[in-house]
Amino acid sequence: MMRQGTEQRLSGQAQIRASGARQAGPFFGAIDLGTNNCRLMIAAGTSNGFRVVDSFNRSVRLGEGLRVSGRLAEEFMTRALDALRICVERMRQWPLSHVRAVATEACRRAVNGREFLERVQTEIGLTIDIITAREEAELALESCSPLFRMPSRPPSQSERGVLFDIGGGSTEVAWVRVDQERKSQTLIGTTSMPVGVITLQEMFGEGHGSSYEEMVSHVQSHLVGFENVHRIRREVAQGNACLLGTSGTVTTLAGVALALPRYNRAAIDGLTLPGQIMRSAIDTLRSLSRDHLAMHPCVGQDRVKYVLPGCAIFEAIHRTWPIEEVTIADRGLRDGMLLRMARDHGQRFTRERRRTHRHVTPRSRGPLGNYATI
């Protein structure tokens, strides 16, 4: 979804002074260099959790063209370097105790991925680790674990959840054991599908017309093996599974469903919507021309090529596992890295002002309904 323009920020020390009575704890920085985006988050430990003090997100399209060439293109490496320089400059404004930067699918797959990260180290002095798909799923689980819930049933000893993260070059899916009494999750299994919004767009186009169903079928074919191993449909049929998504795709669909005029993280993160409402939001986007998609406040020009491929990935997942409700997370690898760094430093680190789960149910009017927050 489109974010509002970044405002000028106070220096780190000025923000610390402006925070008032709450004492700022150690500061941590996390960078996620993905196939499509470069993201930074800086957080401070506080007496009752963690407080995000700065963040940055820029579309760099690092993995564009990778599927055909096998290499990162110079144009997009330059875009990524420019974004990373901004991240480094922002981090210099804070007294950071620890920093971690990771790269995901584009750098995992590209023959010049490690060479590019060596260039990053040489030119701007930033060390970036390439993480495995398994660690990517683990970080997503760590950040999203407070949002797992079984809304329609009372807590039982052990239930299940599907967590998915739609990226630019790949989509991670995790099958999770959810212990509601202990409020804990255990990773049962993961799969990394070699399809993301960029790779799917390069294979099938932007998803208008019949190519959309081709994309959905292609993604579903990658889910067959995971389903055969874990028999997730059986748990879904018994009502024992919840569904949680984290990505720009699911936050976009939630924004469309709520008819938001601009992005609002507080309205999205932790929101639970009926699956049919998410699918109706897809129908709304599919009904728009490319020009109208580019003008839509939840899409915009930068993401117009990738929004329907992302919808196709979500729809393939939901058709495979038709779970009644979907919980949307606006959190991901950066949050997971911050949690780990803080835990290593002995902090009790949870997202401050964590939102209570909200259900949104349709009223009777309008094609998507008018929604009431409960």
Side-chain angles (χ1 to χ4, degrees):
M1 298 182 67
M2 295 177 64
R3 267 62 170 174
Q4 291 177 292
T6 304
E7 299 176 355
Q8 286 190 335
R9 288 167 170 80
L10 299 171
S11 71
Q13 293 298 332
Q15 287 205 22
I16 294 171
R17 290 194 296 272
S19 64
R22 287 187 301 180
Q23 181 180 359
F27 290 83
F28 304 91
I31 294 174
D32 168 17
L33 179 61
T35 303
N36 196 29
N37 292 286
C38 176
R39 300 181 175 95
L40 163 73
M41 185 178 287
I42 298 172
T46 66
S47 59
N48 61 344
F50 94 66
R51 176 166 49 97
V52 175
V53 295
D54 199 2
S55 63
F56 171 77
N57 184 4
R58 174 170 291 181
S59 173
V60 296
R61 308 202 308 272
L62 182 61
E64 195 163 301
L66 171 63
R67 187 185 69 85
V68 174
S69 69
R71 299 181 62 84
L72 305 177
E74 181 61 35
E75 174 188 355
F76 304 116
M77 288 191 289
T78 299
R79 286 173 63 99
L81 279 165
D82 290 343
L84 290 167
R85 286 189 181 96
I86 294 172
C87 293
V88 169
E89 182 57 36
R90 298 277 273 266
M91 290 192 297
R92 286 183 179 137
Q93 299 177 37
W94 298 93
L96 300 181
S97 299
H98 194 70
V99 172
R100 190 178 185 203
V102 302
T104 55
E105 182 70 4
C107 290
R108 281 198 295 260
R109 288 174 52 194
V111 296
N112 60 339
R114 293 189 181 277
E115 177 184 329
F116 169 64
L117 296 184
E118 290 172 2
R119 179 177 167 188
V120 172
Q121 172 67 54
T122 300
E123 294 189 18
I124 62 178
L126 178 65
T127 300
I128 302 180
D129 301 320
I130 299 176
I131 60 173
T132 65
R134 172 83 181 194
E135 184 175 359
E136 196 172 345
E138 290 171 346
L139 287 168
L141 175 59
E142 188 145 8
S143 65
C144 295
S145 61
L147 303 181
F148 274 104
R149 64 196 303 272
M150 298 292 296
S152 59
R153 299 179 57 182
S156 66
Q157 185 62 32
S158 181
E159 286 160 338
R160 303 289 187 269
V162 175
L163 169 66
F164 64 92
D165 183 359
I166 301 171
S170 65
T171 296
E172 273 58 55
V173 180
W175 181 228
V176 181
R177 180 178 295 107
V178 181
D179 189 328
Q180 294 203 94
E181 291 183 348
R182 297 182 180 179
K183 297 182 179 180
S184 65
Q185 297 79 35
T186 304
L187 199 59
I188 300 171
T190 66
T191 186
S192 180
M193 298 188 292
V195 287
V197 298
I198 291 180
T199 52
L200 213 55
Q201 185 272 329
E202 291 179 347
M203 292 174 69
F204 296 97
E206 296 181 11
H208 301 282
S210 61
S211 66
Y212 181 82
E213 284 298 329
E214 293 174 2
M215 289 192 290
V216 173
S217 296
H218 179 74
V219 177
Q220 283 184 294
S221 70
H222 284 280
L223 294 169
V224 171
F226 196 65
E227 164 61 28
N228 288 342
V229 170
H230 295 289
R231 305 295 182 185
I232 297 171
R233 284 199 194 102
R234 179 176 56 195
E235 299 291 337
V236 173
Q238 295 174 357
N240 291 338
C242 58
L243 183 63
L244 195 156
T246 172
S247 69
T249 294
V250 292
T251 57
T252 293
L253 290 175
V256 171
L258 298 178
L260 296 180
R262 63 182 60 85
Y263 187 75
N264 182 349
R265 181 185 187 275
I268 296 296
D269 187 49
L271 180 70
T272 296
L273 287 171
Q276 73 266 21
I277 297 302
M278 297 287 279
R279 300 273 287 271
S280 295
I282 291 175
D283 293 340
T284 297
L285 293 176
R286 290 190 65 197
S287 72
L288 300 177
S289 68
R290 191 184 197 279
D291 289 343
H292 284 96
L293 279 173
M295 293 186 293
H296 196 289
C298 295
V299 182
Q301 187 63 49
D302 286 346
R303 299 187 62 245
V304 69
K305 292 200 302 185
Y306 306 123
V307 63
L308 293 183
C311 290
I313 296 172
F314 169 79
E315 187 149 354
I317 292 169
H318 196 251
R319 286 186 191 178
T320 302
W321 303 305
I323 297 168
E324 290 184 3
E325 296 179 326
V326 183
T327 298
I328 296 96
D330 183 357
R331 56 184 76 190
L333 301 190
R334 294 173 300 170
D335 302 75
M337 286 187 282
L338 290 168
L339 287 163
R340 286 186 177 183
M341 284 185 280
R343 186 170 60 244
D344 291 344
H345 283 72
Q347 293 292 114
R348 185 182 66 82
F349 212 52
T350 55
R351 192 67 179 264
E352 193 171 279
R353 297 187 301 276
R354 181 182 297 152
R355 292 188 60 80
T356 321
H357 288 284
R358 285 120 42 241
H359 272 75
V360 176
T361 54
R363 292 175 181 163
S364 59
R365 302 177 63 181
L368 288 180
N370 298 314
Y371 301 104
T373 302
I374 298 175

